Amino acid sequence: MVDVAGSVAGVVSPVLQVAQWLAAPIWRQFKYLFNYKSNFDNLQEEIDKLKNTRDEVRHKVTAAERNVEEIKQNVKDWQKDVEKTITEAEQLIQAKANNPRCFKGLCPNFIISYKQSKKALKLKQDDIDPLLRQEKELGPVSYPTNPPEIWLRSSEDYLAFESRNSTVKYVWNALNDENVFMIGVYGMGGLGKTTLVQELGRKAKEEKLFDEIVFVEVSESPDRKKIQTTIADNLGLKFENESERAKKLYSRIKGKNILLILDNIWEPLEFENLIGIPCGADRGRNKLLFTTRNLDVLQRMGSTNNFEMSILNEEEAWTLFTKMTGNIIQTHELHSQGKDVCKECKGLPIVICTMAKTLKTKSHPSYWKCALQELRAPSPRKYTRYLEEDYAKIALSYKYLRDDELKKTFLISSLMKNNTSISNLFKHIVYLDVFDGANLTMEEARDRLDILVCDLKDACLLLDGFKSDQFAMHDVVRAVAITIAYVDHHVFTVRNDIEQDWKDRDKLKKCTMISLPSDNTIISQLWPNDLDCPNLEYFYMGDSPFKIPVKIPEDLFMVMPKLRVLNLDRLWQSSLPSSIDLLTNLRTLSLDNSKVKDFAIIGKLKTLKVLSLQRSDIEEFPTELGQLTQLRLLNLNYCWRLEVIAPNVISQLSKLEEFYIKGCPIKWKDDVLKELKLLSNLTSLELAIEVNNLPKDFVSKKLRRYKITIRGEYYEDSISKYSRILAFACNSTVSQEELGGINDVEVLHIVKSLDDEEDLDEKQMLPLFNEKVWLTIIISTSLFK
């Protein structure tokens, strides 16, 4: 029998299977309609979650951006996708609310509902859920960055001055030279060194000369960790172990192409070991660019490419001043005053800028008049109120001089006029206890002073004078120096107020130094009731631009018993004040250009070591001066009335080391000339003599410096770098015996005879020497130079 049931079942089973296959899609399609409301409720819930998550990430991004950090690209992409998804979901939800209905609004449109439900589910599953999962995997939203330094941005305030172009060119060439590692820019405070190197840094950045550029202000009190941290921050380097800062910095910099600008250096720095800046074989293409006030600092660090900055010229100063003051300077009433103020700034940018910024909002002329007065006559009691901060910065150069020798020399130099010779400074300073070490010879003291002046020039506190043996000082630096001298050492000058300083007995009793021009009347105003200086060690009157003669009260020196240095230039009275013999501590006496006739009283000054009477009216060197047995320096140059030097006077000056007696009509006698050889300590001699026969070996063989003219016009060569010069008249003959003590001649000159003005071509030339004479080390000769 046929199994009908089995047969039926065999047929029905496939049918049911097909029915199930067909029913599943139909059910899924029906589910979109059946779950229409729940799909949209779930979508709204997930969108709210996504919005909250979006806002949290946005806050993180905002905080990172405020911290100048770089936002990661995957975070930016996630935010973009989130905004796109939220917009799409909100549009879908809004479309649902606006769905049209069928049968005149009696029932919903099933086709649209179906599509919307399907899209809502897909948005949730395929877009929103993955975005929420991705947010948990984002991690930190940003990277730390090194934002560009402000100074590296273009500066509209920078002015390219002609006087600076050569310095800019030299530094720029050095930056481009692969063989140069260290470059220095030096000059006095306030010249604009920082501004210049920053401008060069900007240019280097624009031209991509270096991969990275770092600027570090070192300052007068260098902090190693601060320097390291500044460099590290600019290079994106973090220190985890404090003990390995230098090592890590070294590793970061070595072999790279980085420009490190180290600004305002006061002392040499240990780059490799202490800071971590490679300077040897590992330095790669890195370069160091320094600014400092002291050339010596650069040289001690091994920097050989060093360039000096100077003040602005008058035109450049006015350009800077007008730019800083703006339109107010165009006012007719202020224009001329502005010119005067700018001129008194003496070309120093820091002063020009400070005065301009101060006055640019001041339209009342009184402000400008007051500023001009303070610039022209600053008080030594305090820095001018307009420039207090700037003057204090300049005073740092003095503060950081390495020893008291330099500080004392600087302050005394500030009392001298510009283009004073170092030799003139020497007599002011040599016996003021400036030099360290006792019992220095005059030559040793001169060498010490030369070094100090060079060091002060390297520190940009002194400037070169017109001649190689002179010095000068910027007026602003001088104003600072005189303030320091008064506040710290009670030094009185013409800048001190009569009522507040000079007439204050307590202040005057503390006074250690007085320096006044010869045309000043302060002394006469105070004498005799208000002048009492028991601690005074230095008294100087002279250097008046009007060459006014000095007059001194007879009893003046009674009130200054500790005086060590007395300099009275142009003392125009026939005799010295009788009270001068009370100066039992006097070491230096200078009476240059005086009209005094009788100098015998000076013989009582047993402690005297320096006596200068050059260009004075002395007629006879008195025998009383032979009592000055401690004398080390005697200057009688150009005493045009001096004819007589008595025998047995010079020889008593047994400790004399320097003797200057040129340009004097002295009737030399053999006995007096022979006394020169008895001066066993004599090392420096300037001498012009007109005699027919010279004594044998009339000078000591110990002479190290000399300028000797025999039988002719004295040869003056103030710019010569040589120190052993011998000159003869063209019609003289000299023997070997006469020159026995003159050794190692460097320069030999043939000069005109005093009594013969004929040209050399018109007269018969006599043999210069009447026998063979050996003059060793002759470097130069000249005829009628």
Side-chain angles (χ1 to χ4, degrees):
M1 183 178 181
V2 177
D3 188 351
V4 177
S7 300
V8 173
V11 174
V12 172
S13 180
V15 173
L16 291 175
Q17 187 67 45
V18 171
Q20 289 175 357
W21 289 347
L22 293 175
I26 294 172
W27 173 244
R28 282 199 300 270
Q29 306 306 321
F30 178 76
K31 273 200 315 182
Y32 291 132
L33 290 175
F34 183 79
N35 295 327
Y36 177 77
K37 183 177 182 302
S38 63
N39 283 343
F40 270 95
D41 288 343
N42 291 337
L43 176 64
Q44 183 65 60
E45 183 180 347
E46 293 300 298
I47 282 295
D48 290 340
K49 288 182 183 179
L50 187 60
K51 285 183 178 180
N52 291 336
T53 304
R54 175 201 62 181
D55 292 344
E56 290 176 3
V57 173
R58 183 184 292 170
H59 288 313
K60 293 178 182 179
V61 168
T62 300
E65 289 175 338
R66 288 174 178 173
N67 200 36
V68 200
E69 294 180 358
E70 182 181 353
I71 307 304
K72 292 180 179 179
Q73 186 60 45
N74 66 330
V75 175
K76 294 179 181 179
D77 294 341
W78 183 87
Q79 287 182 302
K80 184 178 179 181
D81 291 343
V82 166
E83 294 299 331
K84 178 183 176 182
T85 300
I86 291 175
T87 300
E88 189 175 350
E90 288 179 338
Q91 289 176 348
L92 181 61
I93 292 171
Q94 184 60 44
K96 170 183 175 293
N98 298 329
N99 277 346
R101 299 175 70 83
C102 297
F103 302 107
K104 298 182 181 181
L106 296 177
C107 65
N109 189 320
F110 292 107
I111 296 176
I112 293 177
S113 297
Y114 160 78
K115 291 180 178 179
Q116 289 176 340
S117 179
K118 181 178 180 180
K119 190 173 184 180
L121 181 63
K122 186 175 180 61
L123 266 175
K124 175 185 176 301
Q125 292 177 344
D126 296 348
D127 295 316
I128 298 176
D129 289 346
L131 286 173
L132 289 171
R133 289 194 298 270
Q134 289 173 20
E135 185 275 333
K136 300 182 183 302
E137 301 170 358
L138 288 177
V141 299
S142 62
Y143 300 108
T145 60
N146 288 317
E149 295 285 329
I150 295 175
W151 65 270
L152 278 171
R153 299 172 185 170
S154 178
S155 174
E156 298 179 357
D157 293 332
Y158 180 77
L159 296 176
F161 294 118
E162 183 67 28
S163 63
R164 306 293 170 85
N165 286 347
S166 60
T167 302
V168 170
K169 177 183 176 182
Y170 293 142
V171 176
W172 183 250
N173 289 341
L175 289 173
N176 282 273
D177 189 340
E178 292 185 359
N179 297 316
V180 174
F181 174 52
M182 294 183 181
I183 308 162
V185 177
Y186 69 97
M188 64 179 287
L191 285 174
K193 300 182 292 297
T194 301
T195 302
L196 184 140
V197 297
Q198 286 182 337
E199 182 62 23
L200 285 165
R202 281 190 284 270
K203 183 178 178 183
K205 178 178 180 291
E206 291 171 2
E207 299 197 10
K208 299 181 179 178
L209 197 59
F210 299 92
D211 296 331
E212 294 168 290
I213 299 175
V214 178
F215 179 89
V216 184
E217 183 177 0
V218 179
S219 79
E220 67 275 9
S221 300
D223 183 328
R224 177 176 58 88
K225 286 190 175 182
K226 182 179 178 182
I227 295 171
Q228 290 174 323
T229 300
T230 303
I231 296 174
D233 287 347
N234 278 271
L235 298 179
L237 180 66
K238 300 298 180 183
F239 294 125
E240 297 175 0
N241 189 336
E242 287 292 314
S243 63
E244 296 184 354
R245 294 168 69 95
K247 292 181 182 179
K248 195 166 184 180
L249 196 59
Y250 189 100
S251 298
R252 172 66 175 84
I253 297 175
K254 75 172 184 177
K256 299 296 193 301
N257 181 30
I258 300 170
L259 173 61
L260 296 177
I261 302 176
L262 301 173
D263 182 49
N264 199 17
I265 290 179
W266 292 78
E267 291 292 337
L269 299 174
E270 288 285 343
F271 293 111
E272 287 197 339
N273 297 331
L274 292 181
I275 298 177
I277 300 174
C279 297
D282 287 340
R283 73 188 189 208
R285 296 177 60 196
N286 298 316
K287 289 187 187 294
L288 301 179
L289 175 56
F290 309 109
T291 71
T292 183
R293 302 185 188 188
N294 198 330
L295 175 60
D296 179 62
V297 171
L298 297 173
Q299 293 172 337
R300 287 159 63 192
M301 290 190 298
S303 176
T304 56
N305 292 269
N306 306 315
F307 309 102
E308 184 177 11
M309 280 184 65
S310 57
I311 61 174
L312 302 178
N313 62 41
E314 191 171 329
E315 181 180 351
E316 292 170 337
W318 180 242
T319 298
L320 178 60
F321 188 80
T322 53
K323 178 179 176 62
M324 300 299 293
T325 50
N327 294 331
I328 195 169
I329 200 67
Q330 304 303 324
T331 307
H332 175 72
E333 188 174 9
L334 296 182
H335 187 78
S336 61
Q337 289 186 1
K339 283 275 189 181
D340 292 337
V341 169
C342 182
K343 185 177 180 181
E344 290 301 323
C345 293
K346 306 298 182 182
L348 195 59
I350 191 173
V351 179
I352 295 170
C353 292
T354 298
M355 297 307 297
K357 289 177 181 177
T358 300
L359 296 172
K360 69 181 297 183
T361 59
K362 310 298 182 185
S363 58
H364 198 290
S366 294
Y367 286 102
W368 294 71
K369 291 178 182 178
C370 180
L372 183 60
Q373 175 62 25
E374 290 196 12
L375 284 169
R376 285 177 172 171
S379 166
R381 288 180 285 110
K382 60 180 180 178
Y383 299 132
T384 172
R385 64 189 178 98
Y386 291 113
L387 297 166
E388 182 175 1
E389 183 177 343
D390 301 318
Y391 279 19
K393 290 178 182 177
I394 294 172
L396 280 175
S397 295
Y398 165 82
K399 178 183 176 183
Y400 280 89
L401 289 174
R402 66 175 182 267
D403 54 48
D404 286 340
E405 279 188 326
L406 283 169
K407 291 181 178 180
K408 291 176 182 177
T409 302
F410 169 65
L411 294 181
I412 295 172
S413 299
S414 72
L415 305 178
M416 309 286 105
K417 65 180 181 180
N418 280 342
N419 303 305
T420 293
S421 69
I422 298 173
S423 182
N424 189 30
L425 174 64
F426 179 76
K427 69 183 181 183
H428 285 257
I429 207 171
V430 64
Y431 287 113
L432 272 178
D433 291 336
V434 170
F435 304 124
D436 290 334
N439 300 320
L440 291 176
T441 65
M442 299 298 281
E443 185 174 13
E444 290 169 342
R446 282 189 183 277
D447 290 341
R448 186 76 64 85
L449 181 59
D450 286 342
I451 291 173
L452 293 172
V453 171
C454 287
D455 287 348
L456 288 171
K457 286 182 178 180
D458 286 349
C460 301
L461 289 173
L462 289 185
L463 309 171
D464 289 330
F466 288 150
K467 299 179 180 179
S468 59
D469 64 338
Q470 295 177 337
F471 66 90
M473 184 179 291
H474 191 280
D475 287 353
V476 171
V477 175
R478 190 185 306 279
V480 172
I482 289 176
T483 300
I484 294 170
Y486 173 74
V487 173
D488 294 351
H489 302 283
H490 313 290
V491 177
F492 278 60
T493 66
V494 70
R495 297 188 183 188
N496 286 87
D497 184 82
I498 288 284
E499 298 298 328
Q500 293 189 56
D501 298 322
W502 286 96
K503 288 189 177 181
D504 187 322
R505 284 183 170 273
D506 291 334
K507 289 182 180 179
L508 202 55
K509 284 183 178 181
K510 295 177 182 178
C511 176
T512 60
M513 302 177 73
I514 289 177
S515 178
L516 297 169
S518 60
D519 58 345
N520 192 270
T521 61
I522 287 177
I523 299 300
S524 59
Q525 291 181 57
L526 298 177
W527 185 260
N529 299 320
D530 296 319
L531 192 66
D532 185 15
C533 307
N535 292 298
L536 190 68
E537 295 186 349
Y538 175 96
F539 184 67
Y540 174 43
M541 286 195 74
D543 284 342
S544 166
F546 306 107
K547 302 300 181 185
I548 304 298
V550 174
K551 292 186 178 181
I552 297 296
E554 192 71 16
D555 297 330
L556 177 68
F557 301 118
M558 294 178 63
V559 299
M560 47 188 75
K562 292 185 179 180
L563 200 63
R564 297 172 64 88
V565 175
L566 175 60
N567 190 321
L568 301 174
D569 190 16
R570 305 181 72 82
L571 181 64
W572 283 16
Q573 53 195 58
S574 59
S575 61
L576 292 169
S578 58
S579 60
I580 197 170
D581 63 0
L582 300 175
L583 300 177
T584 56
N585 293 300
L586 197 65
R587 301 292 189 273
T588 298
L589 176 61
S590 179
L591 299 170
D592 297 344
N593 302 297
S594 72
K595 297 294 184 181
V596 176
K597 303 291 186 182
D598 184 5
F599 291 92
I601 194 174
I602 295 176
K604 296 182 178 181
L605 303 175
K606 307 297 185 182
T607 60
L608 204 62
K609 295 187 177 184
V610 174
L611 176 60
S612 181
L613 304 176
Q614 64 176 338
R615 294 187 177 86
S616 70
D617 281 359
I618 185 174
E619 298 176 356
E620 180 177 352
F621 195 74
T623 57
E624 289 84 352
L625 296 191
Q627 302 174 50
L628 301 177
T629 57
Q630 299 298 311
L631 203 63
R632 305 290 181 87
L633 184 155
L634 176 59
N635 191 339
L636 299 173
N637 281 345
Y638 304 114
C639 293
W640 62 282
R641 295 178 182 271
L642 180 60
E643 296 184 354
V644 178
I645 295 181
N648 301 318
V649 177
I650 292 179
S651 59
Q652 294 182 57
L653 308 177
S654 59
K655 292 189 177 181
L656 198 64
E657 298 177 38
E658 299 185 5
F659 189 21
Y660 306 99
I661 187 165
K662 64 188 180 186
C664 304
I666 299 173
K667 296 179 174 57
W668 288 100
K669 297 180 180 180
D670 280 1
D671 290 345
V672 177
L673 276 175
K674 288 179 180 178
E675 292 182 50
L676 291 176
K677 190 174 181 180
L678 300 177
L679 300 176
S680 60
N681 292 301
L682 192 66
T683 58
S684 183
L685 175 66
E686 290 187 3
L687 174 68
I689 50 178
E690 179 68 18
V691 294
N692 292 325
N693 295 296
L694 296 173
K696 179 181 178 181
D697 297 348
F698 74 102
V699 292
S700 168
K701 293 184 179 181
K702 289 187 176 181
L703 282 181
R704 296 188 182 93
R705 293 190 306 272
Y706 54 80
K707 295 180 181 179
I708 299 175
T709 301
I710 300 175
R711 303 171 193 147
E713 292 181 350
Y714 181 78
Y715 178 73
E716 182 63 67
D717 186 7
S718 60
I719 64 173
S720 174
K721 64 181 179 179
Y722 303 113
S723 59
R724 297 188 295 276
I725 301 174
L726 181 61
F728 295 97
C730 59
N731 62 349
S732 66
T733 58
V734 182
S735 70
Q736 173 76 55
E737 291 180 346
E738 292 173 331
L739 299 177
I742 303 178
N743 296 319
D744 300 335
V745 176
E746 293 178 323
V747 180
L748 178 64
H749 293 293
I750 313 302
V751 299
K752 289 182 178 180
S753 171
L754 288 173
D755 56 1
D756 194 342
E757 296 299 327
E758 294 183 42
D759 290 336
L760 182 61
D761 294 338
E762 297 176 4
K763 64 181 293 180
Q764 184 178 1
M765 186 69 179
L766 297 174
L768 184 58
F769 305 106
N770 60 12
E771 57 187 274
K772 289 184 178 180
V773 176
W774 293 99
L775 296 174
T776 60
I777 321 182
I778 289 183
I779 297 173
S780 172
T781 60
S782 66
L783 184 66
F784 291 127
K785 181 71 175 176

